């Protein structure tokens, strides 16, 4: 860790941002590139191309970042202290998965103030699968005193491609982790900046209004016709870009349009999530939409391995 | 004799896989050793979250030596035969010149354990090879077999990891395999490391203790010090011991506070697979949560937190829970308990919220309008929506009211709402509470007790040991639910095969049998057959589409077809059937009405065939059930043989019971022997005279012997009496009638020679035996009975 003195207000057990900074510092010290959030609406940190696409191909890749994630259906108008339609994930991806990944993970918990001498830390079977990303892996949910604080996965397949080598993925649910560290039962009462008295800013100060407004949007106001259109357009553009950037048949040239195409896949996925929240997609249709997004993700995965970063 | 100790140390193995994996490891290694001539005294395997371990005691130090003789060619054979033989036994070509074959000659290659000698003289002189294989040291054999077993280990799910996974064919394990310990040696000596390597992991004599309390390296010699050193390093190797510790500690903790643990074997097994060093701690939650039904609290705490719940001396749930930590905390567990209490509080808040929400919904929507949403829930791709299914259950239940004699209005309500709890929040969260919650919610809104009970009991009996509902409403809906399942899956050809029964159809059939038998309900097969009719033309629609031509008058065709298949209930069943037909007609084009007519007739034939097939499935299940109960299942075939009323499962069982009792008597045994004798004689003679040659009534004028006349008279009376008794379904009486035949039959065989020289008399006597066969067959086919 750095020698820089950390002010008390950034103590990860007292400050939400302190928690984030500590995790960033920790993983930076382990050789990760610290990225910033992807600038699009995604449902989870896994959707960031730094995970979805970089998990593919032979090249080593170690990265960590915070990803604001949106799950429109989880909105509760700011009335439920545990469930938000917008929340933060801290995401770490290490390829190939290092032999001491479990130890590194535990060390990161110690760094944020979890003492293994008094806490009960456990790796409980939880296999991960993302039907929309055509991805799956084996791993655990990591428990601290009976609470799930992270998801730990060895990716076996992403975007329909076998992972070779396998990447290890860690996802920390930041709000829940911070609530536990700060001893707070209501997420909106989390101390965001670690200050006390007048200078104190809570999670609720930052996000409560947004939760209420977005819940209304997600469940009541979002323009469904526009969203259906967005979905169709994104799908179309994704495929068009992939076709336009594809190397000529039989050539050994690289693919030239994967990242922009993948952005469209993300857009389609978010449009679907909003439509789902609006309740305008029937059970049968739902499966169809998931399949469509998966096909886009798979097409992007197949193109990615023909790029330089994808090792093609 | 030396012992083997093997440990495969990995990242956390899923709890549910550990026991099977330990067992698989034991079998694979011991089988491979035995295959190589290495027997052993004992083997035991263990599993913890981080390791599979195996100890095999009493192995020999080396394989036994093997001596094998092989006969070769005569020395007079052509040269090619000699060369081929030498090659086949492994003589190098450069040595062939030394192996000339002539009488009395012998030559050996000691370094290959090989010699050849010529035995015999003259033209019998033949070459023999003697191959001696000295046994390999067991250590080498182990080094040879273990890598293959590890590579091909039968995990239900396995994965790749790390840098090695860049290459195809890298090692797969349930989670990353971190180290291998493998030692071999006698009790009194130092052990040796079994020299092998798997994907760069070299076997050694090192393991590691508890992840947090003793993570350091531990050097191991053999099983004895392995168990002790692990224990010292806070690892209890044996899962059963961990279970015992958890159970005892839990009971003691509970007892100290005046509570009792609600036992849960499944949870105990799982929890024992989540810890290497179990430490049981007690936590509490707010009394206020106890408003929520105990089952919901238990499900919440069990499923999400893997904790046990406690009850008070009055049997009610206590506001306490027991967690099993994997660590001895410095603070005695205060922080751990606090953390778990927070999570459980949050979980119970959710559960309470679900419970309150459900109650409100049930109270507000008294007409169950919300059930409309089932239209969008698929029950099975080919069997329609959950709504369709409920409508079918309602229709069938209505039919069944006629036999269960219960108020159709109550049954209809029960059938309509029996799946309503699938829409509740609580069941959405805890599917295992389905049925139970329906009963609770229906009771809360004041539905009739029978209707509420049916919401739970229509799933019953779930297995051979589950109770069978007694309330006629429950019985009716339970039968309808199961028959709909069976008929539906039969219609789309999803029958159980071998060990595969994904829709639990065997269980459903057994359920129907038990419902019928234990409640004395008589379900006529005709309603089931009709039910099939509706299914089949839906189920086969796509096949028909393929065969279809063209037409322009679809509505006319539709009306024509629906006319051909009799509806059970025009309002409901026909609607479902019609819907399928309309969908199918929209996509299809037929040449003419005649073709459509043909299709409809075919479908009816198939529906008949399928219903017969399903009936025989029921008969098979009945045999299995009787066999499991230790009853005589061979009697089922015997009573089924006359082909009558076989579709009435209750009567089949009653007949089996009556026949069983009869056969236990002296009269029964004797008549069985007589009837079998008669049938054997008839069979033999029918081969000569032709099938059915003796079926004409015996001619009284040709009866000679008194015992012949007596049997004739007895058969006349018995035939009538048995018919009469069976007409009343009085099987005991029918059996008494059979008893009356015993004396005359015995006397007949005593005194009468059937195959006399007089052809007319012979024929008449055989006709008499054929009558006996017909009369007894009214009750059972005695030839199908063993013994």
């Amino acid at each position: 860790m750095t020698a820089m003195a950390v002010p008390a207000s950034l103590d990860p057990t007292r400050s939400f941002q302190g928690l984030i900074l500590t995790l960033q510092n920790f993983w930076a010290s382990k050789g990760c590139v610290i990225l910033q959030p992807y600038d699009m609406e995604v449902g989870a940190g896994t959707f960031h191309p730094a995970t979805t696409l970089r998990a593919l191909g032979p090249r080593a890749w170690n990265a960590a970042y915070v990803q604001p994630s949106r799950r429109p259906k989880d909105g509760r108008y700011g009335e439920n202290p545990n469930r938000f339609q917008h929340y933060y994930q801290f995401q770490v991806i290490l390829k190939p998965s290092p032999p001491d990944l479990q130890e590194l993970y535990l060390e990161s918990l110690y760094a944020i103030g979890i003492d293994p001498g008094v806490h009960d830390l456990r790796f409980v079977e939880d296999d991960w699968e993302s039907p929309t990303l055509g991805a799956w892996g084996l791993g655990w949910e990591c428990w601290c005193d009976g609470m799930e604080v992270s998801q730990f996965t060895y990716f076996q397949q992403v975007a329909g491609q076998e992972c070779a080598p396998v990447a290890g993925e860690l996802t920390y649910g930041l709000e829940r982790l911070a609530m536990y560290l700060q001893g707070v039962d209501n997420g909106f009462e989390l101390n965001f900046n670690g200050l006390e008295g007048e200078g104190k800013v809570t999670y609720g100060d930052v996000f409560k209004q947004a939760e209420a407004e977005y819940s209304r949007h997600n469940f009541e106001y979002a323009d469904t016709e526009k969203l259906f259109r967005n979905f169709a357009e994104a799908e179309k553009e994704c495929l068009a870009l992939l076709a336009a950037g594809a190397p000529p048949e039989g050539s050994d040239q690289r693919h030239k349009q994967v990242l922009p195409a993948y952005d469209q896949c993300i857009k389609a996925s978010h449009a679907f999530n909003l439509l789902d929240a609006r309740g305008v997609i029937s059970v049968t249709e739902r499966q169809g939409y998931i399949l469509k997004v998966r096909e886009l993700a798979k097409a992007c995965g197949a193109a990615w391995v023909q790029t330089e970063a994808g090792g093609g | 004799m030396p012992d083997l100790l093997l440990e495969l140390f990995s990242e956390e193995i899923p709890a549910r896989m550990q026991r099977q994996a330990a067992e698989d490891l034991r079998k694979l290694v011991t089988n491979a050793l035995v295959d190589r001539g290495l027997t052993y005294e004992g083997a035991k395997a263990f599993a913890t979250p981080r390791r599979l371990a195996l100890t095999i005691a009493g192995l020999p130090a080396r394989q036994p030596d093997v001596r094998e003789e092989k006969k070769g060619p005569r020395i007079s054979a052509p040269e090619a035969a000699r060369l081929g033989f030498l090659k086949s036994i492994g003589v190098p070509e450069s040595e062939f010149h030394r192996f000339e074959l002539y009488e009395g000659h012998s030559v050996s290659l000691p370094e290959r354990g090989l010699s050849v000698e010529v035995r015999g003289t003259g033209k019998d002189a033949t070459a023999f090879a003697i191959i001696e294989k000295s046994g390999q040291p067991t250590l080498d054999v182990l080094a040879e077999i273990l890598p293959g077993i590890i590579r091909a280990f039968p995990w239900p799910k396995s994965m790749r990891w790390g840098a090695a996974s860049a290459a195809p064919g890298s090692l797969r394990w349930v989670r990353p395999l971190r180290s291998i310990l493998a030692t071999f040696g006698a009790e009194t000596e130092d052990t040796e490391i079994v020299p092998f390597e798997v994907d760069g992991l070299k076997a050694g004599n090192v393991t590691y203790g508890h992840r947090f309390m003793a993570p350091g390296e531990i050097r191991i010699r053999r099983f004895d010090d392995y168990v002790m050193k692990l224990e010292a390093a806070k690892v209890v190797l044996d899962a059963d011991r961990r279970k015992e510790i958890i159970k005892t500690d839990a009971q003691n903790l509970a007892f100290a506070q005046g509570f009792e643990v609600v036992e849960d074997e499944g949870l105990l097994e799982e929890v024992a697979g989540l810890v290497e060093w179990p430490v049981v701690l007690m936590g509490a939650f707010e009394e206020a949560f106890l408003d929520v039904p105990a089952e919901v609290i238990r499900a919440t705490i069990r499923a999400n937190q893997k904790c046990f719940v406690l009850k008070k001396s009055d049997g009610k749930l206590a506001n306490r829970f027991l967690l099993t930590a994997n660590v001895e905390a410095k603070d005695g567990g205060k922080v751990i308990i606090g953390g778990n209490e927070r999570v459980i509080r949050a979980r119970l808040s959710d559960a309470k919220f679900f419970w309150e929400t459900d109650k409100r919904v049930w109270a507000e929507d008294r007409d169950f309008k919300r059930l409309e949403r089932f239209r969008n829930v698929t029950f099975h791709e080919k069997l329609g929506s959950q709504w369709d299914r409920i409508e079918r259950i309602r229709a069938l239940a209505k039919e069944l009211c006629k036999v269960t004699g219960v108020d159709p209005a109550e049954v209809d309500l029960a059938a309509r709402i029996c799946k309503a709890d699938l829409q509740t929040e609580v069941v959405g969260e805890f599917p295992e509470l389905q049925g139970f919650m329906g009963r609770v919610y229906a009771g809360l809104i004041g539905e009739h007790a029978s209707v509420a009970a049916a919401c739970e009991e229509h799933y019953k009996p779930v297995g051979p040991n589950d109770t069978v509902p007694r309330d006629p409403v429950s019985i009716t809906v339970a039968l309808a639910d199961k028959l709909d399942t069976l008929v539906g899956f039969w219609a789309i050809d999803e029958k159980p095969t071998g060990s595969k029964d994904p829709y639990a159809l065997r269980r459903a059939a057994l359920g129907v049998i038990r419902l019928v038998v234990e409640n004395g309900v008589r379900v006529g097969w005709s309603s089931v057959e009709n039910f099939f009719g509706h299914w089949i033309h839906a189920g086969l629609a796509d096949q028909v589409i393929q065969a279809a031509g063209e037409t322009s008058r679809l509505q006319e065709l539709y009306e024509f077809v629906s006319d051909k298949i009799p509806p059970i209930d025009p309002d409901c069943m026909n609607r479902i059937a019609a819907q399928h037909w309309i969908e199918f007609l929209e996509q299809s084009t037929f040449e003419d009405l005649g073709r459509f007519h043909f299709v409809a007739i075919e479908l009816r034939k198939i529906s008949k065939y399928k219903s017969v097939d399903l009936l025989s499935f029921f008969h098979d299940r009945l045999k299995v059930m009787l066999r499991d109960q230790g009853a005589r299942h061979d009697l089922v075939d015997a009573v089924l043989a006359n082909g009558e009323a076989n579709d009435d499962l209750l009567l089949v069982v009653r007949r089996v019971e009556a026949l069983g009792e009869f056969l236990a008597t002296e009269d029964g045994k004797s008549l069985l022997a007589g009837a079998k004798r008669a049938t054997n004689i008839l069979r033999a003679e029918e081969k000569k005279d032709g099938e059915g040659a003796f079926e004409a009534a015996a001619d009284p004028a040709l009866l000679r012997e008194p015992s012949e006349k007596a049997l004739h008279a007895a058969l006349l009376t018995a035939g009538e009496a048995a018919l009469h008794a069976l007409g009343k379904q009085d099987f005991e009486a029918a059996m008494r009638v059979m008893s009356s035949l015993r004396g005359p039959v015995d006397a007949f065989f005593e005194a009468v020679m059937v195959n006399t020289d007089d052809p007319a008399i012979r024929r008449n006597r055989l006709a008499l035996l054929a009558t006996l066969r017909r009369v007894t067959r009214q009750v059972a086919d005695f030839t199908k009975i063993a013994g």
Side-chain angles (χ1 to χ4, degrees):
Chain A
M1 292 287 269
T2 58
M4 193 175 77
V6 177
S9 63
L10 293 185
D11 178 345
T13 65
R14 285 162 55 182
S15 153
F16 187 65
Q17 65 202 35
L19 169 63
I20 292 174
L21 292 170
T22 310
L23 285 172
Q24 286 188 343
N25 281 333
F26 175 84
W27 287 105
S29 77
K30 300 295 175 190
C32 287
V33 295
I34 302 300
L35 298 173
Q36 300 306 316
Y38 202 56
D39 57 343
M40 290 184 70
E41 297 132 319
V42 295
T46 313
F47 272 86
H48 195 310
T51 293
T52 313
L53 297 178
R54 292 277 180 172
L56 299 176
R59 299 193 171 198
W61 174 252
N62 299 309
Y65 55 89
V66 174
Q67 182 61 50
S69 305
R70 300 196 188 211
R71 295 200 177 156
K73 247 185 163 170
D74 281 356
R76 294 293 183 272
Y77 296 86
E79 282 160 17
N80 183 312
N82 285 308
R83 237 187 230 262
F84 314 136
Q85 55 84 43
H86 169 282
Y87 62 100
Y88 284 127
Q89 285 189 342
F90 189 85
Q91 177 87 359
V92 182
I93 173 131
L94 303 168
K95 181 177 73 169
S97 64
D100 57 348
L101 185 53
Q102 279 189 312
E103 285 71 22
L104 285 173
Y105 167 71
L106 290 170
E107 223 185 294
S108 77
L109 293 187
Y110 309 157
I112 58 173
I114 292 177
D115 171 5
V118 293
H119 289 285
D120 184 26
L121 299 170
R122 229 84 76 72
F123 294 92
V124 181
E125 176 192 14
D126 189 28
D127 299 339
W128 173 83
E129 188 183 12
S130 167
T132 40
L133 281 178
W136 69 277
L138 299 191
W140 309 273
E141 49 182 58
C142 308
W143 283 19
C144 176
D145 304 332
M147 184 175 61
E148 182 191 347
V149 290
S150 315
Q151 188 76 35
F152 187 132
T153 308
Y154 290 101
F155 280 157
Q156 303 295 300
Q157 199 182 67
V158 176
Q161 303 276 317
E162 287 288 310
C163 297
V166 162
E169 183 210 42
L170 305 171
T171 303
Y172 303 73
L174 287 175
E175 285 82 357
R176 211 190 292 178
L177 192 52
M179 283 164 72
Y180 192 51
L181 291 170
Q182 294 188 24
V184 167
D185 282 331
N186 182 336
F188 292 116
E189 285 166 16
L190 278 174
N191 189 332
F192 206 104
N193 62 353
L195 296 178
E196 295 302 330
E198 272 193 21
K200 172 175 170 178
V201 176
T202 67
Y203 193 88
D205 293 335
V206 182
F207 286 121
K208 194 157 185 189
Q209 181 182 327
E211 278 301 311
E213 289 191 9
Y214 277 106
S215 294
R216 274 175 233 131
H217 172 263
N218 302 342
F219 294 125
E220 302 164 40
Y221 298 130
D223 180 343
T224 54
E225 263 176 55
K226 191 208 79 173
L227 288 167
F228 277 121
R229 221 164 44 233
N230 287 356
F231 186 94
E233 283 167 4
E235 185 187 19
K236 199 170 145 204
E237 192 176 358
C238 177
L239 296 172
L241 290 173
L242 286 175
E249 192 97 21
S251 82
D252 56 358
Q253 290 170 38
R254 291 186 166 127
H255 201 290
K256 293 183 285 198
Q257 270 307 297
V258 184
L259 288 161
Y262 180 65
D263 283 353
Q264 298 304 316
C265 170
I266 294 179
K267 276 203 168 108
S269 172
H270 184 63
F272 162 69
N273 286 341
L274 277 170
L275 287 165
D276 197 23
R278 287 284 274 118
V280 292
I281 292 182
S282 75
V283 182
T284 357
E285 289 171 320
R286 205 167 178 276
Q287 200 52 31
Y289 277 97
I290 290 172
L291 272 174
K292 280 183 184 177
V293 179
R294 183 193 317 176
E295 287 314 312
L296 298 182
K298 283 168 85 168
C300 292
W304 174 258
V305 295
Q306 303 172 51
T307 65
E308 185 181 354
Chain B
M1 298 262 266
D3 306 335
L4 167 74
L5 172 64
L6 174 68
E7 184 202 61
L8 302 164
F9 182 79
S10 71
E11 298 182 4
E12 275 75 355
I13 306 166
R16 67 192 168 91
M17 299 177 189
Q18 291 167 17
R19 197 171 280 274
Q20 183 63 43
E23 186 53 24
D24 287 341
L25 181 65
R26 186 184 65 76
K27 274 201 192 131
L28 289 168
V29 178
T30 54
N31 287 350
L33 287 170
V34 171
D35 284 349
R36 286 160 183 77
L38 292 165
T39 53
Y40 57 95
E41 282 164 11
K44 198 160 168 28
F46 303 89
T48 79
R50 296 172 82 203
R51 58 198 96 218
L52 292 183
L54 170 68
T55 170
I56 302 181
L59 278 164
R62 51 191 311 131
Q63 286 174 309
D65 296 343
V66 191
R67 185 176 190 276
E68 189 191 357
E69 268 195 22
K70 243 182 173 173
K71 193 177 173 189
R74 290 163 197 264
I75 59 172
S76 55
E79 175 67 357
R82 181 184 75 101
L83 296 180
F85 173 61
L86 294 177
K87 206 171 169 186
S88 76
I89 57 172
V91 178
E93 243 169 275
S94 56
E95 301 284 332
F96 278 10
H97 66 277
R98 290 179 52 208
F99 287 79
E100 291 302 329
L101 302 178
Y102 49 86
E103 265 178 49
H105 182 61
S106 79
V107 57
S108 66
L109 273 179
E111 71 276 16
R112 299 203 175 216
L114 202 78
S115 58
V116 171
E117 58 188 49
V118 177
R119 296 178 194 167
T121 53
K123 65 179 177 34
D124 286 335
T126 306
F128 281 84
I130 296 115
I131 304 154
E132 283 177 333
K133 261 199 209 149
S134 54
Q136 296 292 303
T138 305
L139 193 70
D140 295 351
V141 177
L142 285 166
E144 185 196 311
I145 62 176
L146 291 177
I149 290 173
I150 293 170
R151 287 192 159 278
F153 199 80
W155 290 108
K157 261 184 184 175
S158 63
M159 54 165 276
R160 302 168 295 120
W161 66 93
S165 61
S170 70
L171 177 63
R172 301 182 71 92
W173 200 245
V174 63
R175 294 293 184 275
L177 184 61
R178 300 278 285 267
S179 73
I180 299 171
L181 175 154
T183 64
F184 183 73
E187 208 173 324
T188 48
E189 298 157 21
D190 251 349
T191 52
E192 280 182 87
I193 291 169
V194 183
F196 73 95
E197 199 178 303
V198 184
D199 260 36
L201 278 180
K202 219 173 151 192
N205 59 356
V206 168
T207 186
Y208 304 86
H210 187 276
R211 185 185 273 289
F212 301 105
M213 292 190 286
E217 281 189 12
I218 308 169
R219 273 180 206 283
I220 302 294
R221 284 152 53 122
R222 58 174 52 81
F223 184 64
D224 293 349
D225 67 326
Y226 175 66
V227 175
M228 275 175 1
K229 284 176 181 166
L230 277 184
E231 187 103 14
K234 307 288 183 188
V235 174
V236 179
L237 180 66
D238 186 350
D240 289 331
R241 250 203 77 216
R242 294 196 300 274
K243 277 169 80 171
E244 203 46 54
I245 292 170
I246 297 167
K247 202 172 167 180
T248 312
D249 290 358
Q251 279 165 352
N252 290 343
L253 266 176
F255 182 75
Q257 306 246 357
F259 299 124
E260 196 187 322
V261 185
V262 177
E263 305 235 341
D264 190 333
E265 176 60 29
L267 180 62
L268 182 61
E269 173 79 16
E270 186 182 2
V271 169
L274 288 170
V275 293
E276 291 204 307
W277 191 256
V279 177
V280 182
L281 299 167
M282 188 185 290
F285 54 85
E286 285 74 6
E287 287 266 0
F289 288 123
L290 293 173
D291 297 346
V292 180
E295 284 77 4
V296 179
I297 294 181
R298 177 162 169 245
T300 305
I301 290 181
R302 175 191 210 278
N304 298 315
Q305 297 312 123
K306 323 271 186 222
C307 293
F308 297 91
V309 290
L310 301 166
K311 57 186 177 190
K312 295 182 280 200
S313 50
D314 62 1
K316 288 198 177 127
L317 212 60
N319 64 329
R320 297 285 197 285
F321 64 91
L322 291 170
L323 70 100
T324 311
N326 186 34
V327 70
E328 279 170 5
K330 285 184 289 197
D331 63 352
K334 267 199 210 94
V335 169
I336 296 172
I337 292 170
N340 276 275
E341 284 178 342
R342 284 166 57 94
V343 187
I344 281 183
R345 198 181 305 134
R347 296 284 192 184
L348 288 178
S349 304
D350 283 347
K352 195 176 163 102
F353 176 75
F354 296 150
W355 161 247
E356 306 280 351
T357 307
D358 291 344
K359 279 200 299 185
R360 202 182 59 237
V361 169
W362 281 63
E364 283 169 5
D365 179 23
R366 292 300 308 262
D367 300 332
F368 293 91
K369 289 211 177 63
R370 61 189 180 282
L371 298 182
E372 288 279 335
R373 290 201 309 246
F374 278 138
R375 288 182 194 276
N376 295 322
V377 180
T378 309
F379 167 65
H380 181 283
E381 194 192 340
K382 289 186 181 166
L383 297 178
S385 67
Q386 191 69 261
W387 171 270
D388 294 338
R389 173 160 153 76
I390 293 166
E391 290 296 293
R392 292 196 303 269
I393 293 174
R394 286 175 72 184
L396 190 52
K398 191 171 171 185
E399 279 281 296
L400 291 167
C401 284
K402 293 174 197 157
V403 290
T404 54
V406 63
D407 177 9
E410 266 180 24
V411 166
D412 189 57
L413 178 61
R416 187 168 155 244
I417 70 169
C418 67
K419 308 288 181 193
D421 67 348
L422 296 181
Q423 290 181 348
T424 62
E425 302 279 341
V426 168
V427 174
E429 195 70 13
F430 304 109
E432 69 270 29
L433 293 181
Q434 77 171 14
F436 172 79
M437 293 316 295
R439 179 182 204 148
V440 171
Y441 292 134
L444 279 176
I445 60 167
E447 295 298 356
H448 191 284
S450 291
V451 172
C455 290
E456 181 176 23
E457 292 180 349
H458 79 281
Y459 289 109
K460 288 170 165 273
V462 177
N465 302 318
D466 194 19
T467 54
V468 171
R470 294 287 172 208
D471 186 306
V473 177
S474 293
I475 295 169
T476 312
V477 184
L479 280 172
D481 179 86
K482 291 170 178 60
L483 285 171
D484 173 68
T485 305
L486 286 161
V487 169
F489 284 102
W490 241 255
I492 60 168
D493 275 326
E494 288 276 1
K495 297 186 280 187
T497 50
S499 61
K500 286 207 186 86
D501 185 8
Y503 305 107
L505 301 180
R506 292 193 180 109
R507 196 170 77 188
L510 178 66
V512 171
I513 295 171
R514 290 191 58 204
L515 281 160
V516 161
V517 173
E518 294 179 31
N519 290 300
V521 181
R522 305 201 32 204
V523 180
W525 200 249
S526 61
S527 55
V528 177
E529 253 173 46
N530 274 339
F531 207 49
F532 254 118
H534 287 282
W535 262 118
I536 299 307
H537 60 165
L540 290 192
D542 33 13
Q543 289 174 34
V544 178
I545 290 168
Q546 287 178 358
E550 244 185 284
T551 189
S552 52
R553 289 170 301 167
L554 295 179
Q555 186 56 35
E556 206 173 314
L557 286 178
Y558 163 64
E559 279 162 17
F560 181 80
V561 169
S562 49
D563 206 38
K564 289 283 157 203
I565 295 160
I568 297 178
D569 176 339
D571 303 329
C572 169
M573 285 314 301
N574 212 22
R575 191 191 58 70
I576 296 167
Q579 208 177 315
H580 285 288
W581 270 109
I582 289 165
E583 276 171 24
F584 144 53
L585 288 171
E586 278 168 357
Q587 303 164 36
S588 63
T589 43
F590 278 90
E591 275 168 22
D592 54 29
L593 287 173
R595 184 156 187 177
F596 214 164
H597 182 211
F598 167 78
V599 168
I601 304 251
E602 282 305 296
L603 293 179
R604 285 180 70 186
K605 275 193 213 154
I606 292 170
S607 100
K608 178 75 188 169
Y609 159 77
K610 291 215 180 208
S611 83
V612 169
D613 189 47
L614 178 58
L615 184 58
S616 78
F617 180 70
F618 271 113
H619 292 151
D620 286 342
R621 288 297 100 197
L622 181 60
K623 278 181 234 170
V624 172
M625 183 183 94
L626 292 174
R627 192 185 59 212
D628 291 350
Q629 291 172 355
R632 294 192 54 177
H633 56 282
D634 57 326
L635 301 186
V636 175
D637 283 330
V639 304
L640 291 178
N642 78 3
E644 268 175 49
N646 287 352
D647 58 357
D648 191 325
L649 297 170
L650 180 63
L651 290 193
V652 171
V653 173
R654 295 275 178 275
R655 272 147 64 193
V656 167
E657 285 166 358
L659 181 60
E661 278 166 31
F662 174 56
L663 290 176
T665 64
E666 276 310 307
D667 284 347
K669 283 177 200 147
S670 188
L671 183 68
L672 173 62
K676 278 191 168 186
R677 189 166 167 192
T679 314
N680 288 339
I681 295 171
L682 280 166
R683 266 197 209 134
E685 299 310 309
E686 277 167 349
K687 273 190 194 137
K688 299 175 198 158
D689 295 41
E691 199 72 28
F694 314 113
E695 294 304 325
D699 178 357
L702 291 173
L703 299 169
R704 292 281 182 275
E705 307 288 334
S707 61
E708 220 177 339
K709 289 176 185 159
L711 178 60
H712 183 253
L715 283 172
L716 278 184
T717 326
E720 295 261 322
L723 200 63
H724 184 66
L726 290 170
K728 291 191 299 179
Q729 277 123 27
D730 186 346
F731 303 111
E732 282 76 14
M735 292 303 158
R736 278 196 301 278
V737 172
M738 293 300 124
S739 296
S740 73
L741 286 175
R742 181 219 171 160
V745 170
D746 286 354
F748 175 85
F749 281 120
E750 189 85 10
V752 177
M753 164 89 146
V754 177
N755 284 314
T756 59
D757 297 335
D758 181 335
I761 292 186
R762 167 182 168 267
R763 181 171 293 270
N764 202 51
R765 284 178 180 165
L766 286 166
L768 203 52
L769 292 186
T771 313
L772 172 64
R773 183 168 68 182
R774 278 199 306 277
V775 170
T776 51
R777 262 199 191 158
Q778 289 183 299
V779 178
D781 181 348
F782 283 62
T783 60
K784 292 230 157 59
I785 299 171

